[in-house]
Amino acid sequence: MDALAQLKSALSGRYDIDREIGAGGMATVYLARDVRHNRSVALKVLNPELGAVLGVERFLAEIQVTANLQHPNLLPLFDSGEAEGLLFYVMPYVEGESLRARLAREKQLPVDEAVRIATAICGALDYAHRNKVIHRDLKPENILLHEGQPLIADFGIALAVSNAGGARITQTGLSLGTPQYMSPEQATGDRVVDGRTDIYSLGAMTYEMLAGEPPHAGPTAQAIIAKLMTEEVRPLTVLRRSVPPQVDLAVRHALEKLPADRFATGHEFAEALHSRAIAAPAATAFAPAETIAPSRGALARAWRTARPVAPWAVALAGLAIGAWGWTASRRGAPAPTVRFSLAFPGRQQLFAPTGSPVAISPDGRTLAYAASDSSGNVLLYVRGIEELQPRAIPNSFAPRFPVFSPDGRWIAFHGSTGLKKVSADGGPVVTLAEIALPGGISWGTQDQIVVSVNGALKTVSAQGGAPRELVRADLKAGEFDVRWPLALPDGETVLYMSAGSTTGSAASRIAAVSIRTGKVTHLDIPGTYPMGVLEGRLVYATPGVGLMAVPFDARRVRTTGSAVPLVEDVVLDVVGGARAALSTSGSLIYESGRSVGQPLLVDADGRGAPLIREPREFSVPRYSRDGQRVAFTVGTATSQDVWIYALQSGTLTRLTTDGLNTRPEWSPDGKRILFRSERAGRPGIWWQPADGSGPAEPLLQTDVDPFEAILSPDGRNLIYRTGSGVKYPRDILYVTLGGDSTPKPLVTGLSNDMMPRLSPDGRWLAYQSNESGQAEIFVRPFPETGGRVQVSTGGGIEPLWDRRGRALYYRRGRQLVAAAVATTPTFSMGSQRVLFEADYLTNPSHPNYDVAPDGAHFLMLKRMGEAQTVVVLNWIAEVRARTAAKAGR
């Protein structure tokens, strides 16, 4: 039985339903006959998902308030109830058309007609607001024209829905309100919404009746709200000369962004429309200032003087707000603090094993970030705040730690072989210095870039040149590392993390060094990540706490007061780096939440079942040779360790305890697990008995960073891939264990070559490379060098062999692809097919899934949580408020 038939059956005897006559965001409307009273009615059925959130009793209790409204310009509520789990309410069926239909036909109404309709609606609003009911979704679709008189439909329904559903409405993704007519406080999710939100909506409708278009328009809801929050409304007198100045001023007064600056009541709005005196706003880009002479009446108050507004908490997913022109309004009102969640196009994922993948320009208008796409390529992207699509920077392979120059014209980052810069407007990527992967980058005002490299801070000219050492970690004093530099605006001082441990714990503190003298000052700040100084307040991050601010005398390099917490839910990595950036103008971008995954055992048709019920920060699963155990990397806010899951007993046991340990692989005999470990600031490949019977021991430590490693099936060779560095950047090499330890190159060059995997017979090396411009899968002989075969087309990442060497698997976007192969007498390929397509977690550094020993199942990681990238414009206002409250002012 379909929904309409079900509804007819449930309401049989009360209402005879004829047909559907409309549908909206909250409800579907049916023309029906009230059987008892023999009259036509409009029966509105709430969307099922909305009804499920509200609940029957709560909704019916809330809607009783609406039922008591009686006004000539309000469409009354006849009935409400529940039928077969569907919530409905009933209103009169009005013969005529809606205001939307009339505007669609005529576009603009005669001025007198528009003012008459607006005045009648003002009276209805004034009545309803005095009875403590607001509409919240006033729009032309809800204004019905009957015998020339406007009737407001659905009055209070949105309010009833909001009150009944509470915060759960937001969680469903349903919107209460229409962007073109939504007030700023409603758009920003302000919990305090009163009748002035309806005044704004009526102002927007009146504007459209006169101008033929809403005050703000755009291709998407996000674009409309962006304009609503940032742009002034064009005067009606500019768009249509016949509009009287007092009508123009009254409408724009109703459209003020701050509720306190609008008319307080519908009665006031009506008076202003009918020649009541109000003073014009200050001159704008559209029209000079003017004053309308007073006429009859008591509307003595002029445009209210703008006043400071409490910070707004904004949660608008995917909203890119335009250049923030409201930072200082023409009448002196400070800009509000605005938050929104940044959406990334396609399947982009921020890339930053450590440190921040994002940067924000000094003026807060441009973002730069490092992200991987569905093909596994990691590039630098630049995006204006007002733009929906980012621009990829060509040849910015594997960027890390992006930062803007003080003038915002350049972006520095570490990529492939060293420190680089590129114009924020695009252009060639320029190499400034060949350095290994740093522990943070900062661009100072004296055109010097400060980097943390191998336990030291160094400076590099922004024009390029050899690095000059500034300060080195004092190992004798227990300082293991120095990283996360922040060059202060004075051009003289650099703040940084003085690491007292390898994990950036409470032992780490913030220190300062003079570029001119090299003098080091250890500050009394238990933090790890200095971000910037805003109006005499040092903003920094501390693990377990989040972002803090402390009064700071930059000239004397000392704190002058107590620290205040600012933002709690900022992601910090295991070495104390915050995934956050701060502009000198006081805007913030940060990542909150952590992405967790649940291991699923998925068959070749895509059907999956949980292997482990509890989601955690699992990554890179690896089956043991006998298939009875699985090794994972498991991360937390302060650690990364190798854990082992026993399939038979269902137990998950931690193996490693020291350092940062990732990317586990089993030895061929199943007795040991090798992994990348960073201990005392030095990365290497270690291994440890899988049963925990012995400590971890170093297997490979070289002058380059071995980023991932596997053992050959005979256990004689260790194949590894390097990280960023001067020598062998992201190349694949191998060493012979127990023999000549000289590294031997396998896959080298300017491309990023990674994820080496040997065939079960040990003769063929599969790997991922972007030598063609995008990530693809290749196979070549091992150990001798020879011709390569490209396996994938159209992109390929994360190669894995099956246990028999008859199939090579890889991922292409959301697809898992199986390529039939033969490894004897030589390597050859057969057909390829897509096994299944789903949104499982990927990893830009190591295969993030595994093939079960039976070759018929795959261990995938299902995304169970998602980090959110939050942009906070004019955050400085919140910082001021928080620190002032702490000081008792």
Side-chain angles (χ1 to χ4, degrees):
M1 182 182 297
D2 61 24
L4 180 57
Q6 179 183 358
L7 189 63
K8 286 182 176 181
S9 174
L11 294 176
S12 177
R14 294 177 63 186
Y15 298 101
D16 288 338
I17 299 176
D18 182 14
R19 67 184 188 276
E20 179 182 325
I21 57 175
M26 289 193 300
T28 301
V29 188
Y30 298 94
L31 173 61
R33 185 176 65 88
D34 181 347
V35 174
R36 181 178 179 184
H37 300 97
N38 192 27
R39 60 185 176 185
S40 295
V41 295
L43 190 147
K44 303 192 176 186
V45 181
L46 291 187
N47 293 341
E49 64 269 27
L50 181 57
V53 171
L54 299 178
V56 177
E57 294 182 2
R58 186 73 191 275
F59 174 69
L60 296 181
E62 290 288 346
I63 208 171
Q64 286 180 5
V65 178
T66 302
N68 292 320
L69 294 178
Q70 299 293 328
H71 187 277
N73 296 106
L74 295 182
L75 201 63
L77 179 72
F78 281 166
D79 191 11
S80 61
E82 177 267 341
E84 297 290 337
L86 299 175
L87 300 181
F88 70 90
Y89 58 99
V90 182
M91 288 184 162
Y93 175 69
V94 176
E95 293 284 353
E97 64 179 351
S98 69
L99 179 58
R100 167 58 63 220
R102 183 170 179 185
L103 288 173
R105 186 179 70 252
E106 299 181 19
K107 189 174 182 181
Q108 293 167 297
L109 303 187
V111 173
D112 290 345
E113 177 76 350
V115 171
R116 183 186 66 80
I117 291 174
T119 302
I121 296 173
C122 280
L125 293 182
D126 192 72
Y127 164 80
H129 294 166
R130 282 187 277 112
N131 284 274
K132 312 300 183 186
V133 182
I134 58 178
H135 195 290
R136 290 176 65 104
D137 193 21
L138 210 58
K139 56 188 176 183
E141 288 81 351
N142 284 333
I143 306 299
L144 305 179
L145 301 176
H146 180 64
E147 300 295 333
Q149 290 299 314
L151 297 172
I152 307 177
D154 294 347
F155 209 110
I157 300 299
L159 176 62
V161 168
S162 177
N163 288 344
R168 293 173 295 170
I169 296 297
T170 302
Q171 295 167 5
T172 65
L174 295 169
S175 173
L176 300 180
T178 304
Q180 291 91 332
Y181 314 100
M182 190 182 291
S183 67
E185 64 269 25
Q186 193 175 359
T188 59
D190 199 326
R191 293 182 180 179
V192 181
V193 175
D194 57 24
R196 290 171 295 185
T197 195
D198 288 344
I199 298 294
Y200 183 96
S201 299
L202 176 55
M205 287 197 303
T206 308
Y207 189 100
E208 184 174 3
M209 285 190 283
L210 293 167
E213 61 186 30
H216 301 291
T220 65
Q222 291 87 353
I224 294 169
I225 296 175
K227 292 183 177 181
L228 160 69
M229 300 298 298
T230 62
E231 292 185 0
E232 298 290 342
V233 175
R234 288 196 295 172
L236 286 165
T237 50
V238 173
L239 299 173
R240 186 176 178 185
R241 293 183 181 180
S242 60
V243 175
Q246 74 272 10
V247 172
D248 170 41
L249 294 174
V251 171
R252 284 194 283 150
H253 190 48
L255 292 172
E256 283 284 359
K257 298 189 186 300
L258 301 182
D261 291 338
R262 292 179 216 138
F263 300 108
T265 67
H267 177 71
E268 290 181 358
F269 191 6
E271 281 195 318
L273 286 170
H274 289 276
S275 301
R276 307 305 291 181
I278 51 178
T284 70
F286 301 111
E290 58 182 331
T291 302
I292 305 304
S295 61
R296 65 176 177 89
L299 191 55
R301 54 187 182 86
W303 291 73
R304 293 180 178 87
T305 302
R307 62 195 68 180
V309 60
W312 292 352
V314 182
L316 299 175
L319 176 60
I321 292 185
W324 196 239
W326 198 19
T327 13
S329 76
R330 294 179 177 86
R331 287 174 291 139
T337 297
V338 176
R339 281 181 172 81
F340 59 90
S341 175
L342 189 67
F344 297 96
R347 300 186 67 242
Q348 282 186 358
Q349 297 181 31
L350 290 180
F351 174 76
T354 58
S356 178
V358 295
I360 186 167
S361 62
D363 62 8
R365 294 185 176 186
T366 307
L367 305 176
Y369 62 89
S372 61
D373 60 20
S374 60
S375 297
N377 300 304
V378 182
L379 294 174
L380 183 70
Y381 294 86
V382 178
R383 174 175 174 175
I385 287 289
E386 78 283 3
E387 297 173 343
L388 295 178
Q389 293 296 324
R391 293 177 286 110
I393 301 297
N395 301 316
S396 60
F397 301 120
R400 299 284 297 277
F401 314 118
V403 294
F404 279 90
S405 61
D407 61 8
R409 296 175 57 194
W410 295 87
I411 303 168
F413 63 96
H414 186 274
S416 296
T417 58
L419 182 66
K420 301 175 183 293
K421 74 174 183 179
V422 66
S423 170
D425 295 328
V429 174
V430 179
T431 299
L432 301 178
E434 291 187 341
I435 61 171
L437 183 67
I441 301 173
S442 181
W443 196 321
T445 56
Q446 301 301 317
D447 223 18
Q448 286 188 322
I449 300 174
V450 185
V451 296
S452 165
V453 184
N454 296 328
L457 294 186
K458 298 183 179 183
T459 60
V460 178
S461 169
Q463 308 308 314
R468 181 179 71 87
E469 186 167 303
L470 186 58
V471 66
R472 179 167 291 276
D474 188 350
L475 299 179
K476 293 181 180 179
E479 187 179 53
F480 290 99
D481 196 8
V482 295
R483 62 173 64 206
W484 313 133
L486 170 67
L488 296 185
D490 63 6
E492 161 67 17
T493 309
V494 177
L495 303 183
Y496 62 95
M497 179 187 78
S498 170
S501 75
T502 59
T503 59
S505 66
S508 297
R509 310 186 78 79
I510 293 177
V513 60
S514 168
I515 293 178
R516 181 173 54 85
T517 67
K519 178 184 176 182
V520 173
T521 303
H522 290 275
L523 305 174
D524 187 24
I525 305 176
T528 60
Y529 195 82
M531 292 182 59
V533 177
L534 297 178
E535 298 182 354
R537 307 166 181 90
L538 171 63
V539 178
Y540 63 96
T542 298
V545 179
L547 300 189
M548 306 281 290
V550 64
F552 184 68
D553 185 337
R555 186 173 64 85
R556 297 181 180 179
V557 194
R558 67 180 185 182
T559 59
T560 59
S562 301
V564 177
L566 298 175
V567 182
E568 295 181 359
D569 58 340
V570 176
V571 175
L572 271 70
D573 60 41
V574 293
V575 286
R579 295 172 72 93
L582 181 65
S583 76
T584 54
S585 60
S587 290
L588 172 72
I589 180 170
Y590 68 94
E591 195 169 339
S592 67
R594 304 188 73 89
S595 180
V596 297
Q598 182 182 37
L600 295 183
L601 200 58
V602 182
D603 65 20
D605 293 324
R607 295 183 295 264
L611 179 72
I612 301 176
R613 292 285 178 183
E614 180 189 2
R616 304 178 73 170
E617 283 189 52
F618 291 108
S619 62
V620 294
R622 288 294 171 269
Y623 274 104
S624 61
R625 189 174 182 83
D626 60 9
Q628 297 302 306
R629 294 166 294 172
V630 181
F632 293 94
T633 296
V634 180
T636 67
T638 58
S639 68
Q640 284 182 312
D641 279 297
V642 176
W643 291 63
I644 298 177
Y645 179 74
L647 275 68
Q648 187 170 6
S649 63
T651 56
L652 183 65
T653 306
R654 182 179 177 181
L655 177 65
T656 61
T657 55
D658 297 324
L660 306 175
N661 309 287
T662 59
R663 307 180 190 104
E665 294 287 346
W666 292 85
S667 62
D669 60 9
K671 294 181 179 180
R672 289 176 175 264
I673 293 180
L674 60 149
F675 49 89
R676 181 187 185 271
S677 184
E678 186 173 339
R679 304 180 183 216
R682 186 179 183 187
I685 302 300
W686 292 58
W687 62 354
Q688 186 170 352
D691 60 5
S693 60
E697 298 174 340
L699 184 61
L700 175 69
Q701 289 187 312
T702 69
D703 59 347
V704 297
D705 178 3
F707 219 65
E708 56 180 334
I710 59 171
L711 282 169
S712 60
D714 59 11
R716 296 179 55 192
N717 297 303
L718 180 73
I719 299 93
Y720 64 98
R721 188 264 295 186
T722 63
S724 289
V726 177
K727 187 178 181 181
Y728 300 128
R730 288 185 175 84
D731 288 339
I732 301 173
L733 304 91
Y734 79 100
V735 294
T736 301
L737 300 178
D740 182 7
S741 59
T742 303
K744 302 176 182 65
L746 285 171
V747 188
T748 63
L750 297 178
S751 57
N752 292 324
D753 309 306
M754 57 183 65
M755 303 197 195
R757 312 302 301 184
L758 277 180
S759 59
D761 60 11
R763 298 178 56 219
W764 302 97
L765 177 72
Y767 62 96
Q768 172 187 318
S769 176
N770 67 350
E771 65 176 68
S772 64
Q774 69 174 345
E776 300 284 6
I777 305 302
F778 295 85
V779 171
R780 66 194 313 160
F782 177 84
E784 67 274 8
T785 59
R788 68 192 185 286
V789 177
Q790 182 172 331
V791 176
S792 63
T793 57
I797 60 174
E798 302 182 59
L800 287 177
W801 301 86
D802 74 347
R803 294 295 177 97
R804 297 179 297 173
R806 296 181 181 177
L808 183 59
Y809 300 95
Y810 64 90
R811 301 168 93 169
R812 183 173 58 207
R814 301 174 70 247
Q815 300 173 336
L816 181 67
V817 181
V821 299
T823 57
T824 57
T826 185
F827 179 80
S828 61
M829 283 201 311
S831 61
Q832 299 191 31
R833 64 189 180 100
V834 176
L835 297 183
F836 54 82
E837 183 173 352
D839 189 20
Y840 292 119
L841 289 169
T842 61
N843 190 292
S845 300
H846 205 59
N848 208 32
Y849 69 106
D850 203 7
V851 184
D854 64 6
H857 292 82
F858 305 87
L859 186 53
M860 315 297 293
L861 296 176
K862 179 182 178 182
R863 190 187 310 272
M864 299 297 288
E866 189 65 55
Q868 186 180 35
T869 302
V870 180
V871 179
V872 192
L873 301 178
N874 195 38
W875 186 55
I876 181 62
E878 273 192 7
V879 177
R880 291 191 197 108
R882 292 284 185 92
T883 52
K886 176 71 174 181
R889 295 193 294 273

